[in-house]
């Protein structure tokens, strides 16, 4: 009994001492493999279908690995409570359940100066050990509606009279519950995910859904129902309505960031990234950082 207890304590102690190692660029090249972290079960960005990895981020990860002459190894990760938790767990320190596993690069990270330089209550930089770079997608909020019950959405004020589905504890949830003095809160229905809200719209439980544009485009594409449409309207009093999504590496691995950004610029300029998005029914909008380069390539400069 005592021997088994000793072995258990020894194993637990070992869990605490395992240390994730950030791979230098030369070591990554020598290994022949690029390790890329993507979120699990997050269509249309990264998910599995019939046992195969699919999604915009999965295909982008493969193209980035190809640009460096490397094989791709996907690290499927679950989101934490906050993005800085994910960066700590999968980019610079390691998760306590997977302490020896780190990605070389993580996708779907906001490219945002304010977030990059965020400080904690002690005034310390929260993301000091992370470099965020390479914005590859511009994201927005989007409403989809069933034209059989809601012909158009000239303003979000229509949801004072029509029920709308949103993801629980999301920006659309907070927005629809509070904007215009909360007049739309009684018609705001909450669901565990955008796909469940969308399914509820198809079943007639709600007349519209609000989520990220990429998710809405994908759900409309998969539904293939011409009566379901994306609305074209703004969101008064919301604040930021669009943002760029990029990548993150450990701050010691800027050489990898430069190399991957070179591959990304080529994908954007050639139109290949837009084709990847189109395969999933998504509209592609070039992030502001690369608009000038794309225009130059279009002119043949």
């Amino acid at each position: 009994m005592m021997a088994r207890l000793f072995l258990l304590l020894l194993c637990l102690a070992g869990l605490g001492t395992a240390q994730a190692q950030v791979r230098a660029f030369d070591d990554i090249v020598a290994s022949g493999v690029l390790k890329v972290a993507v979120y699990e079960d997050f269509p249309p960005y990264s998910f599995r279908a019939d046992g195969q990895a699919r999604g915009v981020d999965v295909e982008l990860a493969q193209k980035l690995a190809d640009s460096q002459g490397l094989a791709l190894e996907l690290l499927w990760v679950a989101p934490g409570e906050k993005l800085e938790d994910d960066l700590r767990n999968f980019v610079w320190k390691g998760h306590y359940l997977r302490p020896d596993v780190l990605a070389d690069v993580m996708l779907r990270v906001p490219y945002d100066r304010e977030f990059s330089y965020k400080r904690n209550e002690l005034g310390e930089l929260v993301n000091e050990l992370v470099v965020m770079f390479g914005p590859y997608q511009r994201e927005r909020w989007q409403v989809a509606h069933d034209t059989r019950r809601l012909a158009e959405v000239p303003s979000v004020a229509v949801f004072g009279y029509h029920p709308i589905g949103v993801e629980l504890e999301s920006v659309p949830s907070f927005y629809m519950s509070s904007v215009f003095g909360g007049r739309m809160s009684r018609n705001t229905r909450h669901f565990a995910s955008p796909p469940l809200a969308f399914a509820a719209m198809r079943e007639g439980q709600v007349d519209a859904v609000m989520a990220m544009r990429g998710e809405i485009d994908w759900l409309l594409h998969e539904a293939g129902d011409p009566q379901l449409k994306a609305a074209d309207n703004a969101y008064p009093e919301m604040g930021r309505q669009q943002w760029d999504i990029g990548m993150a590496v450990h701050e010691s691995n800027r050489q990898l960031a430069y190399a991957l950004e070179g591959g990304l610029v080529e994908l954007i300029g050639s139109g290949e990234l837009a084709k990847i998005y189109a395969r999933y029914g998504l509209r592609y909008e070039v992030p502001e950082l690369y608009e000038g380069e794309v225009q130059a390539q279009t002119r043949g400069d």
Side-chain angles (χ1 to χ4, degrees):
M1 181 69 178
M2 290 299 295
R4 288 199 297 269
L5 179 60
F6 175 76
L7 287 173
L8 176 61
L9 292 173
L10 185 63
C11 289
L12 291 174
L15 287 176
T17 58
Q19 180 64 49
Q21 296 293 323
V22 177
R23 301 197 303 167
F25 182 68
D26 289 345
D27 293 334
I28 294 170
V29 173
S31 76
V33 175
L34 181 68
K35 298 180 180 181
V36 181
V38 295
Y39 287 112
E40 62 185 9
D41 193 24
F42 193 20
Y45 310 115
S46 45
F47 61 104
R48 296 181 180 92
D50 300 323
Q52 299 295 315
R54 295 193 61 208
V56 168
D57 287 357
V58 169
E59 294 198 30
L60 171 59
Q62 184 63 66
K63 291 290 186 182
L64 291 173
D66 292 345
S67 74
Q68 306 304 311
L70 301 171
L72 172 65
E73 179 181 337
L74 291 174
L75 301 181
W76 296 92
V77 303
E81 291 186 5
K82 296 181 293 185
L83 178 58
E84 46 260 43
D85 295 338
D86 298 343
L87 295 172
R88 180 184 66 248
N89 291 336
F90 307 116
V91 175
W92 64 267
K93 183 177 182 181
H95 194 281
Y96 73 96
L97 291 176
R98 302 166 67 182
D100 59 339
V101 176
L102 280 182
D104 300 318
V105 58
M106 185 170 184
L107 300 188
R108 200 140 296 275
V109 176
Y111 182 77
D112 181 83
R113 180 178 177 83
E114 183 176 336
F115 179 75
S116 297
Y117 292 97
K118 179 180 178 181
R119 295 181 180 272
N120 60 22
E121 62 276 8
L122 300 177
E124 302 166 331
L125 287 171
V126 174
N127 300 304
E128 183 180 13
L129 297 177
V130 176
V131 172
M132 284 164 258
F133 70 102
Y136 59 87
Q137 176 187 348
R138 174 154 288 186
E139 187 61 276
R140 300 173 183 269
W141 298 112
Q142 179 71 60
V143 166
H145 59 108
D146 190 326
T147 59
R148 287 162 290 217
R149 299 188 300 277
L150 179 59
E152 58 182 358
V153 185
S155 164
V156 292
V158 300
F159 299 116
Y161 311 97
H162 291 268
I164 182 170
V166 297
E167 184 176 16
L168 187 67
E169 296 183 352
S170 65
V171 171
S173 171
F174 175 79
Y175 179 71
M176 286 295 174
S177 300
S178 60
V179 73
F180 299 150
R183 283 183 289 173
M184 298 181 295
S185 60
R186 64 186 178 88
N187 281 320
T188 302
R189 310 285 187 266
H190 295 89
F191 298 87
S193 68
L196 289 177
F198 195 88
M201 179 175 67
R202 300 192 71 185
E203 294 168 2
Q205 298 177 37
V206 296
D207 296 342
V209 173
M210 182 176 178
M212 288 187 293
R213 183 172 69 177
E215 293 176 301
I216 292 294
D217 283 354
W218 158 255
L219 291 166
L220 290 171
H221 174 72
E222 291 295 290
D225 184 343
Q227 299 300 316
L228 304 177
K229 297 186 178 295
D232 184 16
N233 57 273
Y235 305 99
E237 302 179 21
M238 174 176 267
R240 178 174 296 187
Q241 300 185 27
Q242 64 181 31
W243 61 99
D244 289 342
I245 298 293
M247 304 178 260
V249 298
H250 190 274
E251 61 86 23
S252 67
N253 227 341
R254 294 174 186 269
Q255 188 175 359
L256 174 62
Y258 297 145
L260 294 178
E261 187 165 31
L264 174 64
V265 170
E266 178 62 30
L267 289 171
I268 293 176
S270 67
E272 183 61 31
L273 190 54
K275 292 178 182 177
I276 292 175
Y277 276 73
R279 284 199 285 272
Y280 293 88
L282 277 62
R283 289 164 283 179
Y284 183 69
E285 186 176 353
V286 177
E288 183 179 5
L289 182 64
Y290 300 126
E291 286 178 346
E293 294 190 40
V294 171
Q295 291 170 359
Q297 290 193 33
T298 301
R299 295 193 303 266
D301 293 359

